Amino acid sequence: MPVFKTSFNGYSVKFSPFYESRLAVGTAQNFGILGNGRLHVLDLSPTSPAITELIAFDTADGVYDVAWSESHDSVLVAAIADGSVKLYDTSLPPQSNPLRSLQEHAREVHGLDYNPTRRDSFLSASWDDSVKLWTLDRPTSIRTFREHAYCVYSVAWNPKHADVFASASGDCTVRIWDVREPASTMIIPGHQHEILACDWNKYDDCLIATASVDKSIKVWDVRNYRVPVTVLNGHGYAVRKIKFSPHRRNLIVSCSYDMTVCLWDFMIEDALVGRNDHHTEFAVGVDMSVLVEGLMASTGWDELVYVWQQGMDPRAA
């Protein structure tokens, strides 16, 4: 399956919700500690196992996350290490980008999520302990959500309720928010260690998964969150990102500092149904295509982007 070599360390990979062959990759120099970043927009060849670069945008600081607009097929949002959120239009040349740079967060922006139901707004999560709500047409944020006691690493909109989202933090909690409410509506003390990622199930809007430095993934039912629905153990180090399948209710993909990408069926006893060890450094970005069932992508600090079909070896030509 195709592989793409980036100039810097990979941080995030996201499939386009409009074009089945397109994906975006956020990268950062020097493992994101100091240096430049680059946002790549890539295209899968329909005829050969190759990935071509459509366009790339250079940034003065690392790109920690990317999110495609759900309303404009050429618009991307990037989370930048300098605390900014930058908007790009792939239909315009690099010199005409970014369209806008939104500078409000006091520290690095680490996570983004575009609203999949309302399609007009997106969230940013920052190491300044806050989450901000934005729309494409406003130069300032609509609202800031401050309750977490430490870095917010990940945000995820609920797939059915357009006003509900979750945030995962280094304070070991996941908070559930409704943008119509003045404060968070639920606090899940999910792990004993930092929570690095969260994602909602796409078929059951009450199920949310969390991934932690404690090496585990937990699935929770927000109607009764005192104990998790299940705990998935199998990674050897911190679990960096998780994603529920857009096509199968019980499937979760995860990537970890143990350099592996794992596939889980959280409803069966032997939940670990696939493990790929194609990366040679931390695996920090993973995604599943909404448009092509079973199509997966990952990126890592080995400066590689892999795209493969579920069940196949990512390294197979």
Side-chain angles (χ1 to χ4, degrees):
M1 301 304 281
V3 184
F4 182 82
K5 174 77 169 67
T6 57
S7 324
F8 305 144
N9 308 110
Y11 261 82
S12 174
V13 60
K14 297 282 175 66
F15 283 102
S16 163
F18 292 98
Y19 303 107
E20 59 183 43
S21 63
R22 192 163 299 176
L23 59 161
V25 181
T27 69
Q29 202 173 15
N30 303 317
F31 306 101
I33 298 163
L34 189 68
N36 306 122
R38 188 169 289 158
L39 173 60
H40 302 266
V41 179
L42 309 177
D43 212 53
L44 302 170
S45 167
T47 53
S48 66
I51 301 177
T52 54
E53 184 177 85
L54 289 178
I55 196 167
F57 304 105
D58 288 322
T59 55
D61 299 89
V63 181
Y64 286 166
D65 199 15
V66 292
W68 288 96
S69 165
E70 295 279 350
S71 55
H72 301 78
D73 64 357
S74 61
V75 173
L76 274 165
V77 189
I80 312 293
D82 66 355
S84 70
V85 175
K86 295 190 192 303
L87 273 55
Y88 293 89
D89 190 332
T90 61
S91 66
L92 300 174
Q95 59 268 28
S96 303
N97 277 284
L99 297 177
R100 189 174 290 154
S101 184
L102 307 167
Q103 188 87 45
E104 287 189 21
H105 284 293
R107 288 196 63 197
E108 292 89 332
V109 183
H110 198 263
L112 296 165
D113 198 34
Y114 214 96
N115 194 314
T117 46
R118 190 163 280 147
R119 298 182 180 184
D120 63 348
S121 53
F122 62 92
L123 295 162
S124 59
S126 170
W127 292 359
D128 67 7
D129 312 349
S130 77
V131 174
K132 287 180 181 283
L133 174 66
W134 312 82
T135 57
L136 286 182
D137 57 350
R138 281 180 53 152
T140 56
S141 62
I142 293 170
R143 185 174 163 192
T144 302
F145 303 85
R146 294 186 200 278
E147 278 185 30
H148 283 294
Y150 196 56
C151 302
V152 188
Y153 295 116
S154 172
V155 275
W157 287 103
N158 186 284
K160 292 210 174 69
H161 302 284
D163 295 302
V164 176
F165 71 90
S167 56
S169 168
D171 66 11
C172 309
T173 70
V174 162
R175 288 174 188 256
I176 312 296
W177 309 79
D178 186 316
V179 297
R180 299 164 296 189
E181 301 293 334
S184 65
T185 56
M186 191 179 301
I187 304 169
I188 303 174
H191 298 258
Q192 297 291 304
H193 295 80
E194 291 188 75
I195 304 176
L196 301 181
C198 62
D199 195 35
W200 293 93
N201 188 288
K202 307 303 180 271
Y203 293 88
D204 186 335
D205 55 7
C206 292
L207 292 180
I208 187 168
T210 55
S212 172
V213 169
D214 68 13
K215 306 184 271 193
S216 77
I217 299 162
K218 295 182 181 180
V219 179
W220 308 85
D221 188 322
V222 295
R223 292 164 296 195
N224 178 21
Y225 59 88
R226 280 164 187 79
V227 292
V229 175
T230 189
V231 180
L232 307 174
N233 291 303
H235 279 298
Y237 288 99
V239 186
R240 180 60 183 266
K241 294 253 177 78
I242 45 170
K243 206 85 181 174
F244 272 105
S245 166
H247 298 281
R248 287 177 55 191
R249 179 189 182 274
N250 301 343
L251 218 55
I252 298 172
V253 67
S254 61
C255 64
S256 164
Y257 290 149
D258 68 8
M259 307 188 220
T260 70
V261 174
C262 287
L263 200 63
W264 312 81
D265 183 332
F266 72 90
M267 291 299 286
I268 62 175
E269 192 173 345
D270 294 325
L272 182 59
V273 293
R275 185 198 296 271
N276 295 110
D277 58 357
H278 48 286
H279 286 289
T280 56
E281 280 282 355
F282 292 170
V284 296
V286 72
D287 198 22
M288 301 176 96
S289 170
V290 172
L291 301 177
V292 183
E293 184 169 359
L295 191 64
M296 306 168 81
S298 68
T299 191
W301 284 10
D302 55 7
E303 304 177 356
L304 294 172
V305 180
Y306 288 88
V307 181
W308 73 101
Q309 195 67 31
Q310 182 191 322
M312 305 286 283
D313 183 346
R315 286 166 297 206

